[in-house]
Amino acid sequence: VEYRADKTGIVHLSFGKTSFLENELKENLVAVYNSLEKNKPSGVKGKYFKSFHICTTMSPSIALELNTFK
């Protein structure tokens, strides 16, 4: 998974396309979450995310519950 963070700490990445099936998108999203959790800085203790949102290029975002990834 390739991603980047801007100076405010927001991570930008692509995890699927419109041609992907629903289960493929779910698998990719869980893989993104796990990768971010695994690669968090060693100095970070406790909760690493404040919120988790997804959106298409030019649309409003959708907030996701963090406990759905566990």
Side-chain angles (χ1 to χ4, degrees):
V1 176
E2 190 174 313
Y3 49 85
R4 70 190 193 305
D6 63 17
K7 63 182 179 181
T8 61
I10 297 172
V11 176
H12 302 271
L13 59 98
S14 175
F15 70 93
K17 298 181 180 190
T18 56
S19 61
F20 286 15
L21 299 174
E22 184 178 341
N23 63 336
E24 293 173 326
L25 290 171
K26 286 180 185 177
E27 288 174 13
N28 288 351
L29 192 56
V30 169
V32 164
Y33 179 83
N34 291 334
S35 177
L36 290 170
E37 275 290 314
K38 186 178 87 174
N39 295 312
K40 71 180 179 181
S42 59
V44 175
K45 302 286 188 241
K47 198 172 176 183
Y48 187 51
F49 296 103
K50 288 184 180 179
S51 61
F52 202 94
H53 291 75
I54 61 171
C55 70
T56 62
T57 303
M58 298 296 289
S59 70
S61 63
I62 300 170
L64 301 177
E65 294 287 329
L66 292 175
N67 58 8
T68 60
F69 293 103
K70 298 183 181 180

